[in-house]
Amino acid sequence: MPKLDKSTLALTFRYDSDRFLKFRLTSEETLGRIGALKVVTDGRGRPHARPHVLRPGLGLAKAAGAGWEILKFEDLIDAVGRDRVHHRRSSRVHRQVKRRRFLAVGEQELLQVLGRFTPPDAVIEAEFLVPDDITEGLRRAHADHRLDPVRARPDILWIRRASASTPLMTPPGRRRVPGRPPFEIHVIDVKYSAEPSLRHFTEVTFYAMALERWLERHGLDDRFAVSAQGLVWPGTHEVGAFRSRVRDLRYAGEPDPVRLALGETLVPVPYEVYRVHVRQFFDGRLLRVLGTDLAGVEYHVSPTCQLCDYLPYCERTAHETDHLSRIAWLTRGQADLLRQHGIRTVAALYDAIARQTDGWRGVKADSPQLRAEEAILLARAEALTTGRAVLAAGRKTAAMPAYADMRIYVTVHFDFSTGITFAFGAKRVYYRPGAPQGAPPDVEEMAPAIVDKVDRTDMPASERARLLDFAQTVTRWLREADAGNRQITDDRKARGQRDSAFGKVRAHIYVWDALELRQLRRTFARHMEDPAVMQAAEEFVRMFPPDEVLPDPDSFRSQPGTVVKDVVRVLVGLPIPHDYTLFEVANAFHPPTRLSARTGRPVRFGVPWGFAAPMSDQIPFERAHELWLDDPEGYMLRHRPAPGQTHGRRYQRAEVIDGIRYAVRMRLAALEHVDREFRRHHPEVLTLKKAPFYAAPLAPPLDAPAPSRRLWAFQQLEAISKEIEHRALHALPVDEREARFHSLRGLRPLPAGAYATEFATLLSEKPRYRGKRLEAFRFSPGSRDARINEGDFTLALSNEGRPGDPGAEPFAIDVPWRVHLGLSYPDAKALARDEGIEPVLYRAAEAALSQLLEVEVARLDATASEPVVVLAFNNPDAFDFAVRHGLVSLEHPLVLDPVHRDFETSQVKRVLLELGGAPARPAPGVAAAPGQLVRPAGAAPRPAAGRRP
């Protein structure tokens, strides 16, 4: 009979796969027979099936999760009191965690515990049979498919006196026993993951639904009700945070410190949101899968499958059937749509797009995203069909430069459960200005920084030290570029020469995956309490200042960094199935030609087994767990066995560290290779123009207490992050921006007077637009669903292509208008003054083109047969100036894009200065702590930022 165990529901949501669910409901013997599991023979010669070993050491992460649960259970017992928490413990000690396990509290024992006059405050590992009628689908699964009984085992049942403010799973008026019972139960699930996801939330919701029905079935619903909000206890690098918080609250005299500490620690799960997912699972997916034979169940191989036990089988069948999931970044829904139109294989997709068949035209009519990605889909399908790399026709990107003197490559690797970054890497390739032509660049590589501490309580300190090493190395390289450029400027001014970009350093940062950038930001945020990290963050902000910091008038900031994987995704099709990982891309995109001295074959990028994983760009986090465990018997990675041996020798600690270091260096080398081959073979598709690098002037620290300074530094990092995201968005082709619902395209002005009646109605409804210049535009019906609304004012109206030159790239709206006209700062300032835009546009000579083109949406009629948008021009004089100088033309198709305007940073700074007060000063004769500001006695306070006389 099929069996649904406690982890199957959560893992099905994790992998979102019908095939995974079908395999979990199928016997291991059957799975071994079809090859989904590996058949091995035990010591007695009996065959049995087990998963293929793709990532040795995953059991360590599971053991760490079990250890985290034990620690949290102990924390709760310590805080509440041993006699108030019902639990059972084993006499056996977990070998890796070095603590005694908690055992399940069986159903009969749970009934006795809940039957007491005064129940305990919590029950740990309560187990009970799930009633088969919690949903109609589960009832039918038991009746029609003989599904085995399902057991639920929530980690913690937190029992409290009923509160009138607590929402219940079943409201008091609809309960079998009317009214509110004396006790309420909150389901708490302990998870090692630092960021709980859908699978965790649905699991908690399922437990609550099952518990509510179980209480009713056993006649306990007159005493207990289940809270309508579940709770997840997430993982964190701070092991003792909960105990410390309870202790602090207790010392502060709080009457219920445990409740307050749990409220600050736990992540709430609103059941009304996730109950829908659980019902869909039982009433839809489970019944559908149970009613489908093993060969007919659907699947889709993607990076989300990388930890699935059945990945090798699915990859093999996808290759044999030329499955559509072999196309990287094609979603399950898109593949289903293609199949609905008769396109079932990669070869069929290539043929359909190349010949523009009726099926493909139907797909384009139904999916704006696939229509926008037609060129790159054709390139990916052709690459898989022919086995060679293909450049997408007509595609270019402004996200990566064709030339930069200083190239900085970075990589970051972290543990998904704790969130701890365990490896940082950085490499600089520097072509020094003035070096002889053909001279090799200066290459400097930071020694890979690895968080290898054994004591888990010291991991944050180790991570902080490695973060500082990384940040200080990168900022030192950028400071060198900044100092050199400023010296050139000063020398030219001293000689009375006109300054220019000639001979100055252009610097650019490269990272492979956006996930690494997000993790770097999270790591900075985690350690912002430390003065040294705060200082490093302030220095980093100086390297890439937000818009509110006045830049050098002779420079402009282009995009500071590139996510190279996004560039590859937009431009190139490669013979790589499912996902483009860095090593695979480096080996397929103009592969290395250097021959190995040992084998005589071309050298390929790669690392030893165990230091890379299928469909992942991260070094497997299992290696970090091996280091942190520091148990010679806990190293799961083994060397190749010698002849005649069954198992190879286990890796040792030093070998794991060396392997991580090698993997970091190899990834940096592969990233450099991809960048170099793009510049060497396809410079014409890289349209980002780099300016000489300048950092913002070294400003005095914010004159406020340390907490305000931390918030201020993090706010600036947030502003930079958002600006980079918008620049990356503008670098996409206009059809893809439309397909992602960011932009309105195909705008054409309506004839004068054609919208007069509507204008009158608009002005009567919205009198604030009186006196403003309004114009109406038709736009493409394919843009109806764009995420642009009436009242949006951070928008720019530009041309889809270069006005008057269809073959040229459109003007980039993120850079100053003067750059597009080839003007120096003094010339641009004089032109702006002569044409009258300087008084109406702040810092007009260095304003980005988007500031000249800013508009507001006054009316949006997207549902009309011919959709219309009415735009109010924020600065008509500036827009007319752009028209006169050929920067925009109303006679060519236009596009409306969101632009980044940072309104928050200056406001946050003003509030912090006004509310934060003066920074704390040490007593006379006492030295200030590192990073602490000291204002001299009698000094006048610094005026708030953003206030101009």
Side-chain angles (χ1 to χ4, degrees), residues 19 23 27-39 49-52 294 309-317 320:
R19 174 179 276 186
F23 282 1
S27 68
E28 291 185 349
E29 179 184 1
T30 303
L31 296 179
R33 189 166 57 248
I34 67 172
L37 293 179
K38 183 180 180 181
V39 179
R50 68 181 186 188
H52 298 269
L294 209 57
D309 292 337
Y310 314 116
L311 177 59
Y313 177 80
C314 293
E315 284 187 306
R316 186 170 67 251
T317 55
E320 292 170 352

Side-chain angles (χ1 to χ4, degrees), residues 169-188:
M169 292 285 287
T170 301
R174 290 164 45 195
R175 293 174 53 81
R176 185 180 66 87
V177 180
R180 187 176 289 268
F183 298 100
E184 60 192 35
I185 301 179
H186 300 256
V187 177
I188 301 177

Side-chain angles (χ1 to χ4, degrees), residues 214-264:
W214 182 85
L215 290 170
E216 182 179 335
R217 175 166 291 187
H218 290 279
L220 294 171
D221 55 332
D222 60 335
R223 299 191 66 220
F224 299 95
V226 179
S227 165
Q229 186 176 72
L231 300 162
V232 172
W233 196 326
T236 176
H237 55 283
E238 298 175 312
V239 178
F242 177 74
R243 289 184 185 231
S244 299
R245 186 58 182 152
V246 171
R247 190 181 308 117
D248 292 344
L249 291 170
R250 188 167 284 144
Y251 289 161
E254 289 290 343
D256 195 348
V258 176
R259 181 184 64 82
L260 289 176
L262 285 174
E264 296 174 5

Side-chain angles (χ1 to χ4, degrees), residues 156 440 470 767:
I156 300 171
F470 171 83

Side-chain angles (χ1 to χ4, degrees), residues 326 350 379-390 573-576 587-589 591:
R326 298 181 70 234
Y350 173 49
R380 291 174 196 158
E382 182 179 352
L384 288 171
T385 303
T386 63
R388 57 183 178 83
V390 179
L574 296 169
I576 302 171
N587 290 327
F589 184 63

Side-chain angles (χ1 to χ4, degrees), residues 427-430 440-445 477 672:
K427 179 180 181 179
R428 181 181 71 166
V429 178
Y430 187 14
D442 293 344
V443 179
E444 182 181 352
E445 188 171 320
W477 290 339
E672 180 192 358

